[in-house]
Amino acid sequence: MIYITQLIFIQEGKEELFLEFESHAIPLMEKHGGKLIYRLRPKQEDFISGEEEKPYEIHFVSFESEEQLNQFMHDDARLNFIHLKNESVKTMLLVKGKKM
């Protein structure tokens, strides 16, 4: 089992495009054995400290294997709507790990 934490930073005014991307990506991810454990959209007051830009959303996801993650990332259906992500996401910090 692998775990992925994503801090997602959205281009201003592109929130709807990002949400459209997510409406396609989340069900497709589940088809490949992925599980969206948490999807958080923190408010400014939720941050205790930090000087950098705050993420629009934080995702905590699991996949049963690296192979399933790769299948999801290269799925033709995902690639058909990847432009929505590319147009809406400014940057993303992705951290992969395992349960300890």
mmCIF file with all atom_site columns, all heavy atoms in Angstrom, residues 58-83:
data_model
loop_
_atom_site.group_PDB
_atom_site.id
_atom_site.type_symbol
_atom_site.label_atom_id
_atom_site.label_alt_id
_atom_site.label_comp_id
_atom_site.label_asym_id
_atom_site.label_entity_id
_atom_site.label_seq_id
_atom_site.pdbx_PDB_ins_code
_atom_site.Cartn_x
_atom_site.Cartn_y
_atom_site.Cartn_z
_atom_site.occupancy
_atom_site.B_iso_or_equiv
_atom_site.pdbx_formal_charge
_atom_site.auth_seq_id
_atom_site.auth_comp_id
_atom_site.auth_asym_id
_atom_site.auth_atom_id
_atom_site.pdbx_PDB_model_num
ATOM 1   N N   . ILE A 1 58 ? -6.123  19.850 0.107   1.00 0.00 ? 58 ILE A N   1
ATOM 2   C CA  . ILE A 1 58 ? -5.156  18.843 0.522   1.00 0.00 ? 58 ILE A CA  1
ATOM 3   C C   . ILE A 1 58 ? -5.833  17.493 0.347   1.00 0.00 ? 58 ILE A C   1
ATOM 4   O O   . ILE A 1 58 ? -6.944  17.281 0.839   1.00 0.00 ? 58 ILE A O   1
ATOM 5   C CB  . ILE A 1 58 ? -4.731  19.037 1.984   1.00 0.00 ? 58 ILE A CB  1
ATOM 6   C CG1 . ILE A 1 58 ? -4.121  20.429 2.172   1.00 0.00 ? 58 ILE A CG1 1
ATOM 7   C CG2 . ILE A 1 58 ? -3.761  17.931 2.415   1.00 0.00 ? 58 ILE A CG2 1
ATOM 8   C CD1 . ILE A 1 58 ? -3.892  20.807 3.621   1.00 0.00 ? 58 ILE A CD1 1
ATOM 9   N N   . HIS A 1 59 ? -5.168  16.599 -0.381  1.00 0.00 ? 59 HIS A N   1
ATOM 10  C CA  . HIS A 1 59 ? -5.701  15.250 -0.609  1.00 0.00 ? 59 HIS A CA  1
ATOM 11  C C   . HIS A 1 59 ? -4.778  14.233 0.041   1.00 0.00 ? 59 HIS A C   1
ATOM 12  O O   . HIS A 1 59 ? -3.547  14.351 -0.053  1.00 0.00 ? 59 HIS A O   1
ATOM 13  C CB  . HIS A 1 59 ? -5.779  14.932 -2.102  1.00 0.00 ? 59 HIS A CB  1
ATOM 14  C CG  . HIS A 1 59 ? -6.742  15.772 -2.851  1.00 0.00 ? 59 HIS A CG  1
ATOM 15  N ND1 . HIS A 1 59 ? -6.946  15.623 -4.204  1.00 0.00 ? 59 HIS A ND1 1
ATOM 16  C CD2 . HIS A 1 59 ? -7.552  16.789 -2.472  1.00 0.00 ? 59 HIS A CD2 1
ATOM 17  C CE1 . HIS A 1 59 ? -7.851  16.500 -4.610  1.00 0.00 ? 59 HIS A CE1 1
ATOM 18  N NE2 . HIS A 1 59 ? -8.226  17.227 -3.580  1.00 0.00 ? 59 HIS A NE2 1
ATOM 19  N N   . PHE A 1 60 ? -5.384  13.244 0.659   1.00 0.00 ? 60 PHE A N   1
ATOM 20  C CA  . PHE A 1 60 ? -4.645  12.093 1.183   1.00 0.00 ? 60 PHE A CA  1
ATOM 21  C C   . PHE A 1 60 ? -5.242  10.867 0.513   1.00 0.00 ? 60 PHE A C   1
ATOM 22  O O   . PHE A 1 60 ? -6.427  10.574 0.680   1.00 0.00 ? 60 PHE A O   1
ATOM 23  C CB  . PHE A 1 60 ? -4.767  12.025 2.709   1.00 0.00 ? 60 PHE A CB  1
ATOM 24  C CG  . PHE A 1 60 ? -3.861  11.014 3.332   1.00 0.00 ? 60 PHE A CG  1
ATOM 25  C CD1 . PHE A 1 60 ? -2.483  11.123 3.208   1.00 0.00 ? 60 PHE A CD1 1
ATOM 26  C CD2 . PHE A 1 60 ? -4.382  9.944  4.031   1.00 0.00 ? 60 PHE A CD2 1
ATOM 27  C CE1 . PHE A 1 60 ? -1.643  10.183 3.787   1.00 0.00 ? 60 PHE A CE1 1
ATOM 28  C CE2 . PHE A 1 60 ? -3.544  9.003  4.607   1.00 0.00 ? 60 PHE A CE2 1
ATOM 29  C CZ  . PHE A 1 60 ? -2.173  9.120  4.489   1.00 0.00 ? 60 PHE A CZ  1
ATOM 30  N N   . VAL A 1 61 ? -4.423  10.183 -0.300  1.00 0.00 ? 61 VAL A N   1
ATOM 31  C CA  . VAL A 1 61 ? -4.889  9.127  -1.198  1.00 0.00 ? 61 VAL A CA  1
ATOM 32  C C   . VAL A 1 61 ? -4.065  7.872  -0.953  1.00 0.00 ? 61 VAL A C   1
ATOM 33  O O   . VAL A 1 61 ? -2.895  7.947  -0.589  1.00 0.00 ? 61 VAL A O   1
ATOM 34  C CB  . VAL A 1 61 ? -4.707  9.588  -2.668  1.00 0.00 ? 61 VAL A CB  1
ATOM 35  C CG1 . VAL A 1 61 ? -5.087  8.509  -3.651  1.00 0.00 ? 61 VAL A CG1 1
ATOM 36  C CG2 . VAL A 1 61 ? -5.485  10.867 -2.932  1.00 0.00 ? 61 VAL A CG2 1
ATOM 37  N N   . SER A 1 62 ? -4.685  6.708  -1.182  1.00 0.00 ? 62 SER A N   1
ATOM 38  C CA  . SER A 1 62 ? -3.920  5.458  -1.136  1.00 0.00 ? 62 SER A CA  1
ATOM 39  C C   . SER A 1 62 ? -4.144  4.678  -2.420  1.00 0.00 ? 62 SER A C   1
ATOM 40  O O   . SER A 1 62 ? -5.183  4.791  -3.063  1.00 0.00 ? 62 SER A O   1
ATOM 41  C CB  . SER A 1 62 ? -4.329  4.605  0.067   1.00 0.00 ? 62 SER A CB  1
ATOM 42  O OG  . SER A 1 62 ? -5.642  4.115  -0.088  1.00 0.00 ? 62 SER A OG  1
ATOM 43  N N   . PHE A 1 63 ? -3.134  3.908  -2.781  1.00 0.00 ? 63 PHE A N   1
ATOM 44  C CA  . PHE A 1 63 ? -3.209  2.935  -3.866  1.00 0.00 ? 63 PHE A CA  1
ATOM 45  C C   . PHE A 1 63 ? -2.617  1.642  -3.335  1.00 0.00 ? 63 PHE A C   1
ATOM 46  O O   . PHE A 1 63 ? -1.677  1.671  -2.529  1.00 0.00 ? 63 PHE A O   1
ATOM 47  C CB  . PHE A 1 63 ? -2.417  3.392  -5.101  1.00 0.00 ? 63 PHE A CB  1
ATOM 48  C CG  . PHE A 1 63 ? -3.138  4.372  -5.978  1.00 0.00 ? 63 PHE A CG  1
ATOM 49  C CD1 . PHE A 1 63 ? -3.043  5.728  -5.739  1.00 0.00 ? 63 PHE A CD1 1
ATOM 50  C CD2 . PHE A 1 63 ? -3.911  3.927  -7.041  1.00 0.00 ? 63 PHE A CD2 1
ATOM 51  C CE1 . PHE A 1 63 ? -3.709  6.642  -6.543  1.00 0.00 ? 63 PHE A CE1 1
ATOM 52  C CE2 . PHE A 1 63 ? -4.586  4.838  -7.855  1.00 0.00 ? 63 PHE A CE2 1
ATOM 53  C CZ  . PHE A 1 63 ? -4.479  6.192  -7.608  1.00 0.00 ? 63 PHE A CZ  1
ATOM 54  N N   . GLU A 1 64 ? -3.148  0.538  -3.803  1.00 0.00 ? 64 GLU A N   1
ATOM 55  C CA  . GLU A 1 64 ? -2.651  -0.752 -3.343  1.00 0.00 ? 64 GLU A CA  1
ATOM 56  C C   . GLU A 1 64 ? -1.225  -1.010 -3.812  1.00 0.00 ? 64 GLU A C   1
ATOM 57  O O   . GLU A 1 64 ? -0.480  -1.740 -3.157  1.00 0.00 ? 64 GLU A O   1
ATOM 58  C CB  . GLU A 1 64 ? -3.584  -1.871 -3.788  1.00 0.00 ? 64 GLU A CB  1
ATOM 59  C CG  . GLU A 1 64 ? -4.943  -1.795 -3.112  1.00 0.00 ? 64 GLU A CG  1
ATOM 60  C CD  . GLU A 1 64 ? -5.898  -2.866 -3.572  1.00 0.00 ? 64 GLU A CD  1
ATOM 61  O OE1 . GLU A 1 64 ? -5.439  -3.914 -4.068  1.00 0.00 ? 64 GLU A OE1 1
ATOM 62  O OE2 . GLU A 1 64 ? -7.113  -2.657 -3.421  1.00 0.00 ? 64 GLU A OE2 1
ATOM 63  N N   . SER A 1 65 ? -0.832  -0.423 -4.934  1.00 0.00 ? 65 SER A N   1
ATOM 64  C CA  . SER A 1 65 ? 0.519   -0.646 -5.456  1.00 0.00 ? 65 SER A CA  1
ATOM 65  C C   . SER A 1 65 ? 0.947   0.525  -6.333  1.00 0.00 ? 65 SER A C   1
ATOM 66  O O   . SER A 1 65 ? 0.118   1.305  -6.817  1.00 0.00 ? 65 SER A O   1
ATOM 67  C CB  . SER A 1 65 ? 0.562   -1.934 -6.284  1.00 0.00 ? 65 SER A CB  1
ATOM 68  O OG  . SER A 1 65 ? -0.186  -1.771 -7.481  1.00 0.00 ? 65 SER A OG  1
ATOM 69  N N   . GLU A 1 66 ? 2.240   0.604  -6.544  1.00 0.00 ? 66 GLU A N   1
ATOM 70  C CA  . GLU A 1 66 ? 2.805   1.608  -7.454  1.00 0.00 ? 66 GLU A CA  1
ATOM 71  C C   . GLU A 1 66 ? 2.289   1.365  -8.873  1.00 0.00 ? 66 GLU A C   1
ATOM 72  O O   . GLU A 1 66 ? 2.038   2.303  -9.626  1.00 0.00 ? 66 GLU A O   1
ATOM 73  C CB  . GLU A 1 66 ? 4.332   1.503  -7.409  1.00 0.00 ? 66 GLU A CB  1
ATOM 74  C CG  . GLU A 1 66 ? 5.046   2.608  -8.129  1.00 0.00 ? 66 GLU A CG  1
ATOM 75  C CD  . GLU A 1 66 ? 5.142   3.902  -7.332  1.00 0.00 ? 66 GLU A CD  1
ATOM 76  O OE1 . GLU A 1 66 ? 5.215   3.851  -6.103  1.00 0.00 ? 66 GLU A OE1 1
ATOM 77  O OE2 . GLU A 1 66 ? 5.133   4.966  -7.980  1.00 0.00 ? 66 GLU A OE2 1
ATOM 78  N N   . GLU A 1 67 ? 2.117   0.095  -9.221  1.00 0.00 ? 67 GLU A N   1
ATOM 79  C CA  . GLU A 1 67 ? 1.616   -0.254 -10.557 1.00 0.00 ? 67 GLU A CA  1
ATOM 80  C C   . GLU A 1 67 ? 0.216   0.316  -10.784 1.00 0.00 ? 67 GLU A C   1
ATOM 81  O O   . GLU A 1 67 ? -0.075  0.850  -11.858 1.00 0.00 ? 67 GLU A O   1
ATOM 82  C CB  . GLU A 1 67 ? 1.596   -1.782 -10.721 1.00 0.00 ? 67 GLU A CB  1
ATOM 83  C CG  . GLU A 1 67 ? 1.116   -2.235 -12.083 1.00 0.00 ? 67 GLU A CG  1
ATOM 84  C CD  . GLU A 1 67 ? 1.086   -3.757 -12.233 1.00 0.00 ? 67 GLU A CD  1
ATOM 85  O OE1 . GLU A 1 67 ? 1.853   -4.439 -11.536 1.00 0.00 ? 67 GLU A OE1 1
ATOM 86  O OE2 . GLU A 1 67 ? 0.281   -4.230 -13.039 1.00 0.00 ? 67 GLU A OE2 1
ATOM 87  N N   . GLN A 1 68 ? -0.665  0.210  -9.780  1.00 0.00 ? 68 GLN A N   1
ATOM 88  C CA  . GLN A 1 68 ? -2.013  0.765  -9.937  1.00 0.00 ? 68 GLN A CA  1
ATOM 89  C C   . GLN A 1 68 ? -1.975  2.280  -10.063 1.00 0.00 ? 68 GLN A C   1
ATOM 90  O O   . GLN A 1 68 ? -2.732  2.862  -10.832 1.00 0.00 ? 68 GLN A O   1
ATOM 91  C CB  . GLN A 1 68 ? -2.894  0.329  -8.782  1.00 0.00 ? 68 GLN A CB  1
ATOM 92  C CG  . GLN A 1 68 ? -3.297  -1.122 -8.872  1.00 0.00 ? 68 GLN A CG  1
ATOM 93  C CD  . GLN A 1 68 ? -4.159  -1.538 -7.705  1.00 0.00 ? 68 GLN A CD  1
ATOM 94  O OE1 . GLN A 1 68 ? -3.855  -1.251 -6.557  1.00 0.00 ? 68 GLN A OE1 1
ATOM 95  N NE2 . GLN A 1 68 ? -5.242  -2.236 -8.009  1.00 0.00 ? 68 GLN A NE2 1
ATOM 96  N N   . LEU A 1 69 ? -1.088  2.920  -9.313  1.00 0.00 ? 69 LEU A N   1
ATOM 97  C CA  . LEU A 1 69 ? -0.933  4.371  -9.431  1.00 0.00 ? 69 LEU A CA  1
ATOM 98  C C   . LEU A 1 69 ? -0.493  4.732  -10.848 1.00 0.00 ? 69 LEU A C   1
ATOM 99  O O   . LEU A 1 69 ? -1.053  5.644  -11.464 1.00 0.00 ? 69 LEU A O   1
ATOM 100 C CB  . LEU A 1 69 ? 0.084   4.888  -8.412  1.00 0.00 ? 69 LEU A CB  1
ATOM 101 C CG  . LEU A 1 69 ? 0.517   6.337  -8.570  1.00 0.00 ? 69 LEU A CG  1
ATOM 102 C CD1 . LEU A 1 69 ? -0.655  7.296  -8.452  1.00 0.00 ? 69 LEU A CD1 1
ATOM 103 C CD2 . LEU A 1 69 ? 1.607   6.679  -7.557  1.00 0.00 ? 69 LEU A CD2 1
ATOM 104 N N   . ASN A 1 70 ? 0.472   4.014  -11.387 1.00 0.00 ? 70 ASN A N   1
ATOM 105 C CA  . ASN A 1 70 ? 0.948   4.271  -12.745 1.00 0.00 ? 70 ASN A CA  1
ATOM 106 C C   . ASN A 1 70 ? -0.140  4.029  -13.783 1.00 0.00 ? 70 ASN A C   1
ATOM 107 O O   . ASN A 1 70 ? -0.251  4.775  -14.760 1.00 0.00 ? 70 ASN A O   1
ATOM 108 C CB  . ASN A 1 70 ? 2.180   3.421  -13.055 1.00 0.00 ? 70 ASN A CB  1
ATOM 109 C CG  . ASN A 1 70 ? 3.408   3.922  -12.329 1.00 0.00 ? 70 ASN A CG  1
ATOM 110 O OD1 . ASN A 1 70 ? 3.533   5.106  -12.035 1.00 0.00 ? 70 ASN A OD1 1
ATOM 111 N ND2 . ASN A 1 70 ? 4.319   3.011  -12.024 1.00 0.00 ? 70 ASN A ND2 1
ATOM 112 N N   . GLN A 1 71 ? -0.946  3.005  -13.586 1.00 0.00 ? 71 GLN A N   1
ATOM 113 C CA  . GLN A 1 71 ? -2.060  2.740  -14.512 1.00 0.00 ? 71 GLN A CA  1
ATOM 114 C C   . GLN A 1 71 ? -3.042  3.914  -14.503 1.00 0.00 ? 71 GLN A C   1
ATOM 115 O O   . GLN A 1 71 ? -3.521  4.329  -15.560 1.00 0.00 ? 71 GLN A O   1
ATOM 116 C CB  . GLN A 1 71 ? -2.770  1.443  -14.134 1.00 0.00 ? 71 GLN A CB  1
ATOM 117 C CG  . GLN A 1 71 ? -1.967  0.202  -14.436 1.00 0.00 ? 71 GLN A CG  1
ATOM 118 C CD  . GLN A 1 71 ? -2.622  -1.060 -13.870 1.00 0.00 ? 71 GLN A CD  1
ATOM 119 O OE1 . GLN A 1 71 ? -3.622  -1.011 -13.173 1.00 0.00 ? 71 GLN A OE1 1
ATOM 120 N NE2 . GLN A 1 71 ? -2.027  -2.202 -14.183 1.00 0.00 ? 71 GLN A NE2 1
ATOM 121 N N   . PHE A 1 72 ? -3.331  4.439  -13.329 1.00 0.00 ? 72 PHE A N   1
ATOM 122 C CA  . PHE A 1 72 ? -4.220  5.597  -13.222 1.00 0.00 ? 72 PHE A CA  1
ATOM 123 C C   . PHE A 1 72 ? -3.605  6.808  -13.928 1.00 0.00 ? 72 PHE A C   1
ATOM 124 O O   . PHE A 1 72 ? -4.275  7.480  -14.715 1.00 0.00 ? 72 PHE A O   1
ATOM 125 C CB  . PHE A 1 72 ? -4.498  5.923  -11.749 1.00 0.00 ? 72 PHE A CB  1
ATOM 126 C CG  . PHE A 1 72 ? -5.106  7.277  -11.537 1.00 0.00 ? 72 PHE A CG  1
ATOM 127 C CD1 . PHE A 1 72 ? -6.391  7.556  -11.973 1.00 0.00 ? 72 PHE A CD1 1
ATOM 128 C CD2 . PHE A 1 72 ? -4.398  8.285  -10.898 1.00 0.00 ? 72 PHE A CD2 1
ATOM 129 C CE1 . PHE A 1 72 ? -6.956  8.814  -11.784 1.00 0.00 ? 72 PHE A CE1 1
ATOM 130 C CE2 . PHE A 1 72 ? -4.944  9.532  -10.703 1.00 0.00 ? 72 PHE A CE2 1
ATOM 131 C CZ  . PHE A 1 72 ? -6.224  9.804  -11.146 1.00 0.00 ? 72 PHE A CZ  1
ATOM 132 N N   . MET A 1 73 ? -2.344  7.072  -13.661 1.00 0.00 ? 73 MET A N   1
ATOM 133 C CA  . MET A 1 73 ? -1.691  8.254  -14.224 1.00 0.00 ? 73 MET A CA  1
ATOM 134 C C   . MET A 1 73 ? -1.639  8.207  -15.748 1.00 0.00 ? 73 MET A C   1
ATOM 135 O O   . MET A 1 73 ? -1.669  9.249  -16.399 1.00 0.00 ? 73 MET A O   1
ATOM 136 C CB  . MET A 1 73 ? -0.268  8.384  -13.660 1.00 0.00 ? 73 MET A CB  1
ATOM 137 C CG  . MET A 1 73 ? -0.211  8.611  -12.160 1.00 0.00 ? 73 MET A CG  1
ATOM 138 S SD  . MET A 1 73 ? -0.938  10.167 -11.635 1.00 0.00 ? 73 MET A SD  1
ATOM 139 C CE  . MET A 1 73 ? 0.291   11.315 -12.194 1.00 0.00 ? 73 MET A CE  1
ATOM 140 N N   . HIS A 1 74 ? -1.556  7.014  -16.325 1.00 0.00 ? 74 HIS A N   1
ATOM 141 C CA  . HIS A 1 74 ? -1.425  6.877  -17.781 1.00 0.00 ? 74 HIS A CA  1
ATOM 142 C C   . HIS A 1 74 ? -2.699  6.406  -18.475 1.00 0.00 ? 74 HIS A C   1
ATOM 143 O O   . HIS A 1 74 ? -2.681  6.117  -19.670 1.00 0.00 ? 74 HIS A O   1
ATOM 144 C CB  . HIS A 1 74 ? -0.255  5.934  -18.098 1.00 0.00 ? 74 HIS A CB  1
ATOM 145 C CG  . HIS A 1 74 ? 1.051   6.467  -17.621 1.00 0.00 ? 74 HIS A CG  1
ATOM 146 N ND1 . HIS A 1 74 ? 1.631   6.061  -16.454 1.00 0.00 ? 74 HIS A ND1 1
ATOM 147 C CD2 . HIS A 1 74 ? 1.868   7.415  -18.138 1.00 0.00 ? 74 HIS A CD2 1
ATOM 148 C CE1 . HIS A 1 74 ? 2.754   6.720  -16.272 1.00 0.00 ? 74 HIS A CE1 1
ATOM 149 N NE2 . HIS A 1 74 ? 2.930   7.556  -17.281 1.00 0.00 ? 74 HIS A NE2 1
ATOM 150 N N   . ASP A 1 75 ? -3.792  6.362  -17.745 1.00 0.00 ? 75 ASP A N   1
ATOM 151 C CA  . ASP A 1 75 ? -5.069  5.944  -18.324 1.00 0.00 ? 75 ASP A CA  1
ATOM 152 C C   . ASP A 1 75 ? -5.489  6.944  -19.404 1.00 0.00 ? 75 ASP A C   1
ATOM 153 O O   . ASP A 1 75 ? -5.483  8.156  -19.183 1.00 0.00 ? 75 ASP A O   1
ATOM 154 C CB  . ASP A 1 75 ? -6.128  5.869  -17.219 1.00 0.00 ? 75 ASP A CB  1
ATOM 155 C CG  . ASP A 1 75 ? -7.435  5.254  -17.686 1.00 0.00 ? 75 ASP A CG  1
ATOM 156 O OD1 . ASP A 1 75 ? -8.007  5.750  -18.678 1.00 0.00 ? 75 ASP A OD1 1
ATOM 157 O OD2 . ASP A 1 75 ? -7.887  4.288  -17.053 1.00 0.00 ? 75 ASP A OD2 1
ATOM 158 N N   . ASP A 1 76 ? -5.860  6.444  -20.571 1.00 0.00 ? 76 ASP A N   1
ATOM 159 C CA  . ASP A 1 76 ? -6.270  7.317  -21.677 1.00 0.00 ? 76 ASP A CA  1
ATOM 160 C C   . ASP A 1 76 ? -7.446  8.202  -21.301 1.00 0.00 ? 76 ASP A C   1
ATOM 161 O O   . ASP A 1 76 ? -7.517  9.356  -21.729 1.00 0.00 ? 76 ASP A O   1
ATOM 162 C CB  . ASP A 1 76 ? -6.618  6.493  -22.918 1.00 0.00 ? 76 ASP A CB  1
ATOM 163 C CG  . ASP A 1 76 ? -5.388  5.909  -23.594 1.00 0.00 ? 76 ASP A CG  1
ATOM 164 O OD1 . ASP A 1 76 ? -4.274  6.439  -23.386 1.00 0.00 ? 76 ASP A OD1 1
ATOM 165 O OD2 . ASP A 1 76 ? -5.539  4.912  -24.326 1.00 0.00 ? 76 ASP A OD2 1
ATOM 166 N N   . ALA A 1 77 ? -8.361  7.679  -20.497 1.00 0.00 ? 77 ALA A N   1
ATOM 167 C CA  . ALA A 1 77 ? -9.507  8.487  -20.082 1.00 0.00 ? 77 ALA A CA  1
ATOM 168 C C   . ALA A 1 77 ? -9.033  9.694  -19.264 1.00 0.00 ? 77 ALA A C   1
ATOM 169 O O   . ALA A 1 77 ? -9.542  10.809 -19.434 1.00 0.00 ? 77 ALA A O   1
ATOM 170 C CB  . ALA A 1 77 ? -10.489 7.642  -19.268 1.00 0.00 ? 77 ALA A CB  1
ATOM 171 N N   . ARG A 1 78 ? -8.051  9.496  -18.383 1.00 0.00 ? 78 ARG A N   1
ATOM 172 C CA  . ARG A 1 78 ? -7.504  10.603 -17.590 1.00 0.00 ? 78 ARG A CA  1
ATOM 173 C C   . ARG A 1 78 ? -6.805  11.609 -18.503 1.00 0.00 ? 78 ARG A C   1
ATOM 174 O O   . ARG A 1 78 ? -6.944  12.825 -18.330 1.00 0.00 ? 78 ARG A O   1
ATOM 175 C CB  . ARG A 1 78 ? -6.535  10.082 -16.540 1.00 0.00 ? 78 ARG A CB  1
ATOM 176 C CG  . ARG A 1 78 ? -5.937  11.171 -15.666 1.00 0.00 ? 78 ARG A CG  1
ATOM 177 C CD  . ARG A 1 78 ? -5.024  10.567 -14.592 1.00 0.00 ? 78 ARG A CD  1
ATOM 178 N NE  . ARG A 1 78 ? -4.429  11.601 -13.783 1.00 0.00 ? 78 ARG A NE  1
ATOM 179 C CZ  . ARG A 1 78 ? -3.303  12.245 -14.075 1.00 0.00 ? 78 ARG A CZ  1
ATOM 180 N NH1 . ARG A 1 78 ? -2.630  11.938 -15.184 1.00 0.00 ? 78 ARG A NH1 1
ATOM 181 N NH2 . ARG A 1 78 ? -2.832  13.188 -13.285 1.00 0.00 ? 78 ARG A NH2 1
ATOM 182 N N   . LEU A 1 79 ? -6.069  11.101 -19.465 1.00 0.00 ? 79 LEU A N   1
ATOM 183 C CA  . LEU A 1 79 ? -5.346  11.988 -20.366 1.00 0.00 ? 79 LEU A CA  1
ATOM 184 C C   . LEU A 1 79 ? -6.296  12.835 -21.219 1.00 0.00 ? 79 LEU A C   1
ATOM 185 O O   . LEU A 1 79 ? -5.932  13.928 -21.649 1.00 0.00 ? 79 LEU A O   1
ATOM 186 C CB  . LEU A 1 79 ? -4.384  11.186 -21.240 1.00 0.00 ? 79 LEU A CB  1
ATOM 187 C CG  . LEU A 1 79 ? -3.295  10.434 -20.465 1.00 0.00 ? 79 LEU A CG  1
ATOM 188 C CD1 . LEU A 1 79 ? -2.460  9.583  -21.411 1.00 0.00 ? 79 LEU A CD1 1
ATOM 189 C CD2 . LEU A 1 79 ? -2.433  11.378 -19.642 1.00 0.00 ? 79 LEU A CD2 1
ATOM 190 N N   . ASN A 1 80 ? -7.521  12.353 -21.427 1.00 0.00 ? 80 ASN A N   1
ATOM 191 C CA  . ASN A 1 80 ? -8.514  13.113 -22.200 1.00 0.00 ? 80 ASN A CA  1
ATOM 192 C C   . ASN A 1 80 ? -8.989  14.367 -21.474 1.00 0.00 ? 80 ASN A C   1
ATOM 193 O O   . ASN A 1 80 ? -9.454  15.302 -22.120 1.00 0.00 ? 80 ASN A O   1
ATOM 194 C CB  . ASN A 1 80 ? -9.722  12.234 -22.533 1.00 0.00 ? 80 ASN A CB  1
ATOM 195 C CG  . ASN A 1 80 ? -9.424  11.257 -23.639 1.00 0.00 ? 80 ASN A CG  1
ATOM 196 O OD1 . ASN A 1 80 ? -8.544  11.480 -24.458 1.00 0.00 ? 80 ASN A OD1 1
ATOM 197 N ND2 . ASN A 1 80 ? -10.158 10.152 -23.655 1.00 0.00 ? 80 ASN A ND2 1
ATOM 198 N N   . PHE A 1 81 ? -8.895  14.384 -20.147 1.00 0.00 ? 81 PHE A N   1
ATOM 199 C CA  . PHE A 1 81 ? -9.337  15.579 -19.415 1.00 0.00 ? 81 PHE A CA  1
ATOM 200 C C   . PHE A 1 81 ? -8.215  16.201 -18.582 1.00 0.00 ? 81 PHE A C   1
ATOM 201 O O   . PHE A 1 81 ? -8.457  17.092 -17.768 1.00 0.00 ? 81 PHE A O   1
ATOM 202 C CB  . PHE A 1 81 ? -10.574 15.290 -18.549 1.00 0.00 ? 81 PHE A CB  1
ATOM 203 C CG  . PHE A 1 81 ? -10.420 14.159 -17.573 1.00 0.00 ? 81 PHE A CG  1
ATOM 204 C CD1 . PHE A 1 81 ? -9.786  14.339 -16.366 1.00 0.00 ? 81 PHE A CD1 1
ATOM 205 C CD2 . PHE A 1 81 ? -10.937 12.899 -17.872 1.00 0.00 ? 81 PHE A CD2 1
ATOM 206 C CE1 . PHE A 1 81 ? -9.646  13.297 -15.470 1.00 0.00 ? 81 PHE A CE1 1
ATOM 207 C CE2 . PHE A 1 81 ? -10.813 11.849 -16.969 1.00 0.00 ? 81 PHE A CE2 1
ATOM 208 C CZ  . PHE A 1 81 ? -10.151 12.060 -15.766 1.00 0.00 ? 81 PHE A CZ  1
ATOM 209 N N   . ILE A 1 82 ? -6.972  15.785 -18.814 1.00 0.00 ? 82 ILE A N   1
ATOM 210 C CA  . ILE A 1 82 ? -5.841  16.332 -18.060 1.00 0.00 ? 82 ILE A CA  1
ATOM 211 C C   . ILE A 1 82 ? -5.657  17.827 -18.311 1.00 0.00 ? 82 ILE A C   1
ATOM 212 O O   . ILE A 1 82 ? -5.113  18.556 -17.461 1.00 0.00 ? 82 ILE A O   1
ATOM 213 C CB  . ILE A 1 82 ? -4.544  15.541 -18.368 1.00 0.00 ? 82 ILE A CB  1
ATOM 214 C CG1 . ILE A 1 82 ? -3.472  15.831 -17.323 1.00 0.00 ? 82 ILE A CG1 1
ATOM 215 C CG2 . ILE A 1 82 ? -4.015  15.860 -19.756 1.00 0.00 ? 82 ILE A CG2 1
ATOM 216 C CD1 . ILE A 1 82 ? -3.768  15.252 -15.973 1.00 0.00 ? 82 ILE A CD1 1
ATOM 217 N N   . HIS A 1 83 ? -6.146  18.310 -19.461 1.00 0.00 ? 83 HIS A N   1
ATOM 218 C CA  . HIS A 1 83 ? -6.033  19.747 -19.746 1.00 0.00 ? 83 HIS A CA  1
ATOM 219 C C   . HIS A 1 83 ? -6.742  20.589 -18.689 1.00 0.00 ? 83 HIS A C   1
ATOM 220 O O   . HIS A 1 83 ? -6.332  21.716 -18.406 1.00 0.00 ? 83 HIS A O   1
ATOM 221 C CB  . HIS A 1 83 ? -6.585  20.062 -21.145 1.00 0.00 ? 83 HIS A CB  1
ATOM 222 C CG  . HIS A 1 83 ? -8.053  19.848 -21.272 1.00 0.00 ? 83 HIS A CG  1
ATOM 223 N ND1 . HIS A 1 83 ? -8.619  18.594 -21.443 1.00 0.00 ? 83 HIS A ND1 1
ATOM 224 C CD2 . HIS A 1 83 ? -9.087  20.724 -21.230 1.00 0.00 ? 83 HIS A CD2 1
ATOM 225 C CE1 . HIS A 1 83 ? -9.927  18.717 -21.512 1.00 0.00 ? 83 HIS A CE1 1
ATOM 226 N NE2 . HIS A 1 83 ? -10.238 19.993 -21.388 1.00 0.00 ? 83 HIS A NE2 1
#
